[in-house]
Amino acid sequence: MSNFYCSAAQFKMLYDSRLSDQLTSDDGTGVLVGTNLDFILDCAASEMESYLFNRWVLPPRANDGSIPKILTLVVARRAISMLFGRRNDLPKGVQADVEWADKFFEMLQSGVANIPNVDRLNQIAIDNSPAPDGSSRFDFLPDFDKSGNTANS
């Protein structure tokens, strides 16, 4: 495993190991192919990191240094979708898991959800709205005009 979020052992705690064995086997034997499972888990982790990039330090760690379990769950749910994608349609229960992971990403992006016990990257809020008295937070700058340009530019 090269991702920090979900190991094959954790994946098998969330989903029946017989399922991962069947979905990773390409020769019909139903024997787990660990490289296939690790690759799928790494792809799911990479997908998740693309959502988290520039929002959290990667990999996000809780205040105690651990990886938040919600991220383990997200990676596992994306991975099971990818594994079923190798074979056939998703069962309803797996489809619900995938929809949950997608909704979690949407909520993260909109700011409705957060990763528990993990600090976001400090992002500077740019606010150019005037104060109620009509002044601007930029009024103290020399040569500042109300159009937002300096006289020197």
Side-chain angles (χ1 to χ4, degrees):
M1 176 184 93
S2 60
N3 78 74
F4 297 98
Y5 307 103
C6 185
S7 67
Q10 289 171 318
F11 182 83
K12 288 181 173 190
M13 284 188 259
L14 293 167
Y15 294 100
D16 188 330
S17 63
R18 293 171 295 183
L19 187 60
S20 57
D21 294 352
Q22 293 168 358
L23 293 173
T24 60
S25 174
D26 292 329
D27 60 7
T29 62
V31 176
L32 174 72
V33 178
T35 54
N36 287 352
L37 180 57
D38 287 341
F39 178 74
I40 295 290
L41 288 168
D42 289 349
C43 287
S46 180
E47 178 184 9
M48 183 189 61
E49 282 191 337
S50 71
Y51 288 103
L52 303 179
F53 183 73
N54 280 339
R55 293 176 179 88
W56 285 271
V57 173
L58 298 177
R61 299 215 182 254
N63 296 333
D64 66 0
S66 66
I67 296 294
K69 296 300 181 229
I70 195 162
L71 299 181
T72 302
L73 190 58
V74 168
V75 169
R77 288 180 173 187
R78 298 303 300 160
I80 194 70
S81 168
M82 292 176 191
L83 285 169
F84 268 102
R86 301 177 78 232
R87 296 288 183 261
N88 52 24
D89 293 335
L90 295 175
K92 288 180 182 179
V94 173
Q95 182 61 39
D97 286 352
V98 172
E99 290 169 2
W100 177 91
D102 291 343
K103 182 70 174 171
F104 181 74
F105 285 139
E106 290 173 15
M107 292 187 319
L108 275 178
Q109 288 179 323
S110 67
V112 173
N114 206 341
I115 301 171
N117 299 315
V118 177
D119 297 327
R120 288 181 64 107
L121 287 175
N122 291 333
Q123 295 180 347
I124 299 170
I126 298 176
D127 181 11
N128 193 18
S129 59
D133 66 359
S135 66
S136 167
R137 65 188 182 112
F138 300 107
D139 282 344
F140 70 90
L141 296 173
D143 301 325
F144 179 79
D145 70 14
K146 296 294 181 189
S147 69
N149 298 316
T150 61
N152 297 329
S153 47

